[in-house]
Amino acid sequence: MIKNRIKYSMRIRLFVLLLVLVITMLTGLFIIFLITGNINIGLKDSEEFILNNHTDVSEKMKKYYENIAAEVLSFSKIVSLDIESKLADKQLNINDLTNNPHLLEDVISNELNHVLLYLNKSKSSGAFIIMNATVNDKLPDSENSKAGIYLKNLEPNIVHSTSPTIYMLMGNPNIAYNNNIPLHPNWKMEFNIKNSPYYNIPLNFSSNEIKTPKLYYWSSCFTLPGTYEEIMTCTAPLKDSNGNVFGICGLDISSMLFKLSFMPDKDMFERTFSILSPISGNMIKAEQALIAADYTARNILNEEDINISDNKRKLYLYKNGDKSFLGYHDFIKLYPEDSLFSKDKWILSIMVPENDVNSYALKTNLRLLAVCFILMSSGVLISFIISKYYIKPIHNAINIIKQNPSTGTKTNIPEFDDLIECISAKEETDPDSLILNEFLSNLRTLSPSERAVFNLYAENNTAKEIAEKLFLSINTIKTHTKRIYAKLNIKSKDELLLYVEILKESGKKVT
């Protein structure tokens, strides 16, 4: 037994076909996005942003730190020669400074211009000279107290200015007064070099080490004693022509100057920051790092070290206690290969809180899905409209064919107009069709009263039955009957019923 199949109209079939086409195209587009990685376009944008930031900051930092190191070596050479030369003029040598503390003020005062020169020339935030001697060796803890001079630029944001704001942080106040240099609010007479690797390491080089070219030392970030300022220093030994070290000189980079110089771009992520730090294994020494950001980055960094976890695509995942960051890092070369400190590892990292990256990726993907949804909805709507207006003229053409193709009505669809003309021509050449068409044409000439009587005759009622149903007299019915026969060109009821039967078999409506 053959089951009855569900019949669907042409409009529904066309709508489903167009809908399947739209879904197929969008599915293909989604697969292409998935294969090419564009479905993760938010993460790709984040990677590109961080990598470009790292490249830009890294290039600036390498040039700047190379320049600082070169200036420190030049600073050391000039000051060493100048001090030795001036002592020689007085028939003194370096060792005489220790035995004659009263000479220190004159020696240091003579080097003030060099300190100012290299402070401005290097574009650093501070310049200093520390002698391996003290003015008063009788004071408590005098072995950790060293004479010298330390000038600070308190406005590193105008470090490129021709007239920066210079203060004396350490040194003899007479030097400051005589040269119209204000004292720093945290001014001290001498340096306390206890636990100060920036001083002790360069000072204690052996005679063999002192012959090493480009001998300088970068300290990690520390808080300058007596202040709240975090700095990183580059120092080099002061030495006479015999290689005897009698002090150090150096330049510093304050946390503020580092921030202003190496602030990463934050167009995409507001909380992007750069960090220059020593590294040990997989641990970034956060407490010894300089950080550049437009907010207090240490507020979101715990005091503990930052663990370099694993790679996430092109980025690294960093763990700092219960906080995590995404970013990229690479080694920064602060020393030449032949340096005593070439094994010290420093890295520059650009980091963004992981939540910020994930939020951006989610928003980007949601926008992509929203676009796909809009395209899908538009496709459904367009499919509905096309199916409606495409099928409408076809439906009208079918109705014309069903009703009467001989009227000559045009559908403006060439195929259907040709079909209607073909059917109309066939009907005109068929004798039976001509007779039936003539009968139908005559039928339209009947008055409403005559048509009512005709309809009842077509149902095979007698004249008497028709009179009763129409509440008319039998004579009135006979009068209508004569007129009907005359108009239809027939002679009897039987002939009328024959035409009715033929029309019904032809599928044409009579009553």
Side-chain angles (χ1 to χ4, degrees), residues 141-157:
D141 200 28
S142 61
E143 68 274 12
N144 292 319
S145 183
K146 302 299 177 182
I149 185 170
Y150 197 159
L151 300 183
K152 292 288 293 182
N153 178 1
L154 291 193
E155 298 183 60
N157 57 315

mmCIF file of all heavy atoms in Angstrom, residues 141-157:
data_model
loop_
_atom_site.group_PDB
_atom_site.id
_atom_site.type_symbol
_atom_site.label_atom_id
_atom_site.label_comp_id
_atom_site.label_asym_id
_atom_site.label_seq_id
_atom_site.Cartn_x
_atom_site.Cartn_y
_atom_site.Cartn_z
ATOM 1 N N ASP A 141 80.470 54.229 62.235
ATOM 2 C CA ASP A 141 80.139 53.618 60.940
ATOM 3 C C ASP A 141 80.796 54.365 59.778
ATOM 4 O O ASP A 141 80.273 54.419 58.672
ATOM 5 C CB ASP A 141 78.616 53.589 60.749
ATOM 6 C CG ASP A 141 78.191 52.567 59.693
ATOM 7 O OD1 ASP A 141 78.921 51.564 59.514
ATOM 8 O OD2 ASP A 141 77.155 52.786 59.041
ATOM 9 N N SER A 142 81.976 54.972 60.056
ATOM 10 C CA SER A 142 82.644 55.749 59.009
ATOM 11 C C SER A 142 83.139 54.882 57.860
ATOM 12 O O SER A 142 83.318 55.385 56.743
ATOM 13 C CB SER A 142 83.828 56.526 59.612
ATOM 14 O OG SER A 142 84.785 55.642 60.166
ATOM 15 N N GLU A 143 83.342 53.574 58.140
ATOM 16 C CA GLU A 143 83.805 52.697 57.064
ATOM 17 C C GLU A 143 82.770 52.551 55.955
ATOM 18 O O GLU A 143 83.085 52.175 54.823
ATOM 19 C CB GLU A 143 84.172 51.311 57.630
ATOM 20 C CG GLU A 143 83.009 50.490 58.151
ATOM 21 C CD GLU A 143 82.659 50.815 59.608
ATOM 22 O OE1 GLU A 143 83.173 51.832 60.128
ATOM 23 O OE2 GLU A 143 81.871 50.078 60.209
ATOM 24 N N ASN A 144 81.495 52.853 56.258
ATOM 25 C CA ASN A 144 80.434 52.794 55.248
ATOM 26 C C ASN A 144 80.054 54.177 54.719
ATOM 27 O O ASN A 144 79.127 54.296 53.917
ATOM 28 C CB ASN A 144 79.186 52.129 55.827
ATOM 29 C CG ASN A 144 79.409 50.655 56.120
ATOM 30 O OD1 ASN A 144 80.049 49.957 55.334
ATOM 31 N ND2 ASN A 144 78.874 50.185 57.247
ATOM 32 N N SER A 145 80.727 55.199 55.168
ATOM 33 C CA SER A 145 80.422 56.558 54.731
ATOM 34 C C SER A 145 81.481 57.031 53.747
ATOM 35 O O SER A 145 82.675 56.988 54.052
ATOM 36 C CB SER A 145 80.365 57.489 55.940
ATOM 37 O OG SER A 145 80.014 58.798 55.558
ATOM 38 N N LYS A 146 81.039 57.458 52.561
ATOM 39 C CA LYS A 146 81.965 57.857 51.506
ATOM 40 C C LYS A 146 81.590 59.235 50.977
ATOM 41 O O LYS A 146 80.417 59.550 50.775
ATOM 42 C CB LYS A 146 81.946 56.850 50.351
ATOM 43 C CG LYS A 146 82.300 55.417 50.764
ATOM 44 C CD LYS A 146 83.702 55.308 51.334
ATOM 45 C CE LYS A 146 84.010 53.884 51.800
ATOM 46 N NZ LYS A 146 85.363 53.787 52.407
ATOM 47 N N ALA A 147 82.639 60.039 50.752
ATOM 48 C CA ALA A 147 82.427 61.388 50.223
ATOM 49 C C ALA A 147 82.158 61.321 48.726
ATOM 50 O O ALA A 147 82.572 60.392 48.033
ATOM 51 C CB ALA A 147 83.646 62.253 50.502
ATOM 52 N N GLY A 148 81.450 62.300 48.246
ATOM 53 C CA GLY A 148 81.165 62.346 46.827
ATOM 54 C C GLY A 148 80.147 63.425 46.506
ATOM 55 O O GLY A 148 79.890 64.323 47.320
ATOM 56 N N ILE A 149 79.547 63.324 45.356
ATOM 57 C CA ILE A 149 78.519 64.279 44.935
ATOM 58 C C ILE A 149 77.484 63.539 44.110
ATOM 59 O O ILE A 149 77.811 62.641 43.311
ATOM 60 C CB ILE A 149 79.138 65.438 44.122
ATOM 61 C CG1 ILE A 149 78.071 66.483 43.800
ATOM 62 C CG2 ILE A 149 79.814 64.927 42.857
ATOM 63 C CD1 ILE A 149 78.643 67.761 43.208
ATOM 64 N N TYR A 150 76.234 63.862 44.356
ATOM 65 C CA TYR A 150 75.120 63.191 43.654
ATOM 66 C C TYR A 150 74.132 64.274 43.246
ATOM 67 O O TYR A 150 73.513 64.918 44.094
ATOM 68 C CB TYR A 150 74.464 62.196 44.588
ATOM 69 C CG TYR A 150 73.585 61.146 43.919
ATOM 70 C CD1 TYR A 150 73.285 59.958 44.582
ATOM 71 C CD2 TYR A 150 73.033 61.326 42.659
ATOM 72 C CE1 TYR A 150 72.483 58.982 44.013
ATOM 73 C CE2 TYR A 150 72.237 60.363 42.074
ATOM 74 C CZ TYR A 150 71.960 59.186 42.756
ATOM 75 O OH TYR A 150 71.174 58.227 42.179
ATOM 76 N N LEU A 151 73.987 64.484 41.949
ATOM 77 C CA LEU A 151 73.031 65.463 41.430
ATOM 78 C C LEU A 151 71.837 64.737 40.820
ATOM 79 O O LEU A 151 72.003 63.741 40.096
ATOM 80 C CB LEU A 151 73.678 66.357 40.376
ATOM 81 C CG LEU A 151 74.878 67.193 40.840
ATOM 82 C CD1 LEU A 151 75.366 68.083 39.699
ATOM 83 C CD2 LEU A 151 74.517 68.047 42.055
ATOM 84 N N LYS A 152 70.639 65.252 41.098
ATOM 85 C CA LYS A 152 69.402 64.632 40.600
ATOM 86 C C LYS A 152 68.602 65.626 39.771
ATOM 87 O O LYS A 152 68.536 66.812 40.100
ATOM 88 C CB LYS A 152 68.522 64.174 41.767
ATOM 89 C CG LYS A 152 69.084 63.036 42.569
ATOM 90 C CD LYS A 152 69.019 61.719 41.806
ATOM 91 C CE LYS A 152 67.583 61.280 41.605
ATOM 92 N NZ LYS A 152 67.507 59.968 40.893
ATOM 93 N N ASN A 153 68.042 65.114 38.719
ATOM 94 C CA ASN A 153 67.066 65.889 37.945
ATOM 95 C C ASN A 153 65.689 65.498 38.474
ATOM 96 O O ASN A 153 65.228 64.376 38.263
ATOM 97 C CB ASN A 153 67.195 65.569 36.455
ATOM 98 C CG ASN A 153 66.172 66.316 35.609
ATOM 99 O OD1 ASN A 153 65.370 67.090 36.129
ATOM 100 N ND2 ASN A 153 66.203 66.087 34.318
ATOM 101 N N LEU A 154 65.039 66.408 39.167
ATOM 102 C CA LEU A 154 63.764 66.075 39.807
ATOM 103 C C LEU A 154 62.578 66.137 38.849
ATOM 104 O O LEU A 154 61.456 65.841 39.241
ATOM 105 C CB LEU A 154 63.505 67.019 40.988
ATOM 106 C CG LEU A 154 64.433 66.831 42.192
ATOM 107 C CD1 LEU A 154 63.876 67.591 43.389
ATOM 108 C CD2 LEU A 154 64.618 65.368 42.538
ATOM 109 N N GLU A 155 62.802 66.540 37.624
ATOM 110 C CA GLU A 155 61.716 66.579 36.649
ATOM 111 C C GLU A 155 62.149 65.820 35.398
ATOM 112 O O GLU A 155 62.434 66.422 34.367
ATOM 113 C CB GLU A 155 61.342 68.022 36.300
ATOM 114 C CG GLU A 155 60.839 68.819 37.485
ATOM 115 C CD GLU A 155 60.417 70.220 37.085
ATOM 116 O OE1 GLU A 155 59.510 70.349 36.246
ATOM 117 O OE2 GLU A 155 61.011 71.171 37.598
ATOM 118 N N PRO A 156 62.200 64.493 35.490
ATOM 119 C CA PRO A 156 62.661 63.719 34.337
ATOM 120 C C PRO A 156 61.754 63.834 33.123
ATOM 121 O O PRO A 156 62.147 63.525 32.011
ATOM 122 C CB PRO A 156 62.682 62.278 34.862
ATOM 123 C CG PRO A 156 61.726 62.281 36.012
ATOM 124 C CD PRO A 156 61.840 63.642 36.620
ATOM 125 N N ASN A 157 60.532 64.324 33.346
ATOM 126 C CA ASN A 157 59.646 64.515 32.200
ATOM 127 C C ASN A 157 60.117 65.654 31.301
ATOM 128 O O ASN A 157 59.690 65.777 30.162
ATOM 129 C CB ASN A 157 58.207 64.780 32.666
ATOM 130 C CG ASN A 157 58.120 65.973 33.590
ATOM 131 O OD1 ASN A 157 58.927 66.123 34.488
ATOM 132 N ND2 ASN A 157 57.126 66.811 33.367
#
